[in-house]
Structures are given as C-alpha cells and as structure tokens.
Amino acid sequence: MIRILHSVSNMDRGGIETMLMNYYRHIDRSKVQFDFVCNKQKPGAYDEEIQTLGGRLFHSPGLHPLRYFQYINFFKKLVHQHPEYKVLEVHNGALGVYALNSGKRAGIPVRIYHAHGQGLNMDYKIVLKWMCKKLLRFNMNHHFTCGLKAGEYYFGKQVMNRGDYVFVHNAIDVDRFVYNEALRNSLRKEYGLENAHIVGHVGRFMHQKNHTFLIDVFAEIAMHDDKAVLVLLGDGELQNKMKAKAEHLGIGDRIRMMGNVGNANEWYQAFDLFILPSHWEGLPVVGVEAQAAGLPCLFSSSITSEIKMTGNAQFLDLKSGVKHWAEVSLTLLRQVQVRNNMREAIALKGYDIRVEAKKLEDLYLKMYNNAKSIR
C-alpha cells in the first residue's frame, strides 16, 4: 500500500474537500491511502471519517509569511518521520507553493499541483498570493486540473498546449444525487416548504461565490413570485453581511441559511432551481451534483463551459444584470418540471466516481513506482 500526502486548508465541507473525499471513499484503500496536511488548526467535518478510513491528519504552522521557515522545518520533520511519502498533491491555490517548495526541500520526488480555480480571492494576502503564484512552476513537476481554464490560469498556455497535464474530473457518487421524489417531499415537509418555489445555492460565503448578486436576483424574483424561497447551503466569512443585506431588502423571512450541512444531496431534490453566479470557478462540484439531480441550472458565463453536462444548464453573463437573471429564473420556476434520471449523462461526461477513482488509483501507483527516476 502507498500513501499520498495531500496539502489542504482543512478537511471541512467545501468543493475541494468534497472532491477529495469522493475519491478517497471509492479508491481501493488496500492499495492507496490518503493522508492530509491541514494548514488551519480548525477541525474539519471530515476528520473523523478520514481516521476511520485509515488516513492521517497533520496540522502545519499555517500559511503565513512570518511562519515560512517554521513551515519548511515542519515539513522536513514530517517527511523524516514518514519516509514513505513519495507523492505530494497540493490543493492550496497560490499559497500551495509553501507545500511544494517544502516538499522539494524535503526530497519528495513527485510534487503535484492540482488546479481548482481561475482566480485569487482579493484579501489582505493578495500581494503574497500573486508572488507565490509566480513561483509555483519552479516547485511542481506534475500538473493536475479540474478544467481547461483552471489549468491555463495556473500552468500557462504552453503547458496546456503541449498536453502536459492530467484531467482529474470532479466526479461524484451519482446514485446519491439522482432525483428521488420521496426525499424531496420529506425534506420540504420537514421545513414547511411543501408549496414553495425553492431557488437553491451551495457555496461558501465568500467574494468568489457572489452571494450579494444572488440575493439581489432573488429580491427581484420575490417581487413577482410570493411562493419563492431562497435556500443557501454553506457558511463563511460573509454570511452575517449577507443576512444583514437580506434584512435591509426586506426579504430576510424568504431566505433560509442552512449552514454547512451534511445532506446537500437531499436538498438538491427539494430545490426547483439551482443558481451559481460565481465570479470564477474551476469546475464546481456543486454544478455536477445539481445536474445529476435533474435540476435546471443557471451558471454565470465566468464558469467554464465544461460544467454543462445536461440540457438543463444555461449560462448568463453577470453584466446582463439582476433583472435579466430574475426573468430567466422566473421562467424556469414557472415551467412544469420533469426531473429525469441523469446518471447516464453524467457518467458519459466522465463524472462517475466509481470509474474515475480507478483511473486515479492507477495513476498514483504508476507515479509512485516511477518516483525513483524523478528529480
């Protein structure tokens, strides 16, 4: 059995973490095990499951400029104690250079950078992130990506044009998301939403996900549909700000913020429309999940077109404005919905985890066996 070391923020419920857990649950763990370097001290929702599956969790000093050399020493000590680590896979955006450079210094031969997005969050670390992004290419020697735009953003056109990358699809367990009317009725009854027209969204409350635009769109929808309810799954630093915005617009009682739930698959059944107006994405797992549930989906045109897997997905430009998004949403909400089984469509696009996990397993084993020849 080989062990793959993944560098993550922490193993809480989020797009990257959910993707990793989908693979971890379905990979042959008698051949390949996952361990995680978490760069936040905060415990993650998946920690207990990881340990049950045989994985290890390590906590780094964090991705802070003043702790860089402390981080390097942490990594050297970790690899010294666990010389079995020959493959490092990094999922930390631009700040992934911390793990890549530390892994290089510690002698890990296979250093994979996994591109998940196509933008940098504008916060106080933006200058540091920009500098770190420039250094990524000097410290990685394998390129994984969820989509073409994400790969081009982090690796550059030359790498993508010569095909020096591996697509790792954000695959899902399709069975958990295929439309189930009994689940739909049960959840809607539990929350008193039997007759509601539910607009759904799944995502962390952060600038990238564009909740402020989504709430403006819903406010316009609510003016024309007195049964409309917005259900938001996720948490994050902007959640309280969005609550205040909803109250200011007079729609606080029409919005349900459910938090970081463990039953998103059930909520997709309850939704009538899924909206993802992100400023940017790599290839969002939630978009795959929503389509697997047979939902009509509205994506911003900033999201890669690869996310379109069924005829139920549409793209709208954010510049087209709140009223246009609301008009399209209202049209979809008023249509009689037929929630078809989308299993075959999702599988044909390469997003069935049972198939994709075996491919990744084989790739890890090949990389590990070739590790001695890599410098």
Side-chain angles (χ1 to χ4, degrees), residues 140-319:
M140 66 176 92
N141 53 20
H142 286 274
H143 312 96
F144 282 7
T145 186
C146 65
L148 290 172
K149 286 186 177 181
E152 187 172 308
Y153 183 79
Y154 278 106
F155 308 140
K157 290 183 178 180
Q158 284 188 335
V159 168
M160 299 303 287
N161 288 341
R162 68 173 182 260
D164 183 19
Y165 63 91
V166 175
F167 261 130
V168 179
H169 291 144
N170 288 348
I172 65 171
D173 183 350
V174 184
D175 286 342
R176 295 184 67 243
F177 296 92
V178 167
Y179 180 61
N180 184 314
E181 190 168 0
L183 275 179
R184 173 184 172 85
N185 293 337
S186 174
L187 196 63
R188 289 170 72 99
K189 183 177 181 180
E190 179 180 351
Y191 287 93
L193 297 170
E194 293 99 323
N195 298 313
H197 298 156
I198 303 179
V199 178
H201 172 87
V202 183
R204 182 173 176 80
F205 284 83
M206 59 194 301
H207 170 72
Q208 174 194 349
K209 302 298 182 180
N210 205 9
H211 284 88
T212 188
F213 181 84
L214 175 58
I215 289 174
D216 284 337
V217 170
F218 179 73
E220 187 72 20
I221 293 171
M223 287 175 60
H224 301 279
D225 184 346
D226 58 9
K227 292 184 177 181
V229 174
L230 176 63
V231 173
L232 303 174
L233 307 186
D235 58 19
E237 58 269 23
L238 297 181
Q239 186 168 356
N240 288 336
K241 187 176 180 179
M242 294 303 107
K243 282 183 181 178
K245 178 183 176 74
E247 293 296 334
H248 176 73
L249 292 173
I251 55 171
D253 62 336
R254 307 279 294 275
I255 298 179
R256 306 285 184 93
M257 296 187 183
M258 306 307 300
N260 207 349
V261 301
N263 65 334
N265 61 308
E266 297 178 8
W267 275 107
Y268 286 117
Q269 316 307 315
F271 294 166
D272 296 301
L273 172 66
F274 181 79
I275 301 182
L276 192 67
S278 303
H279 290 294
W280 72 84
E281 294 279 355
L283 191 144
V285 177
V286 295
V288 183
E289 294 171 347
Q291 288 177 87
L295 279 166
C297 299
L298 287 182
F299 299 116
S300 76
S301 56
S302 303
I303 300 174
T304 178
S305 60
E306 297 158 86
I307 192 61
K308 184 176 175 65
M309 298 177 192
T310 71
N312 293 333
Q314 297 185 45
F315 296 87
L316 297 178
D317 194 323
L318 292 173
K319 293 179 182 178

Side-chain angles (χ1 to χ4, degrees), residues 64-77:
H64 191 283
L66 298 180
R67 300 194 197 108
Y68 184 63
F69 291 105
Q70 187 180 350
Y71 189 98
I72 290 172
N73 290 331
F74 154 80
F75 224 95
K76 283 183 177 179
K77 183 178 179 181

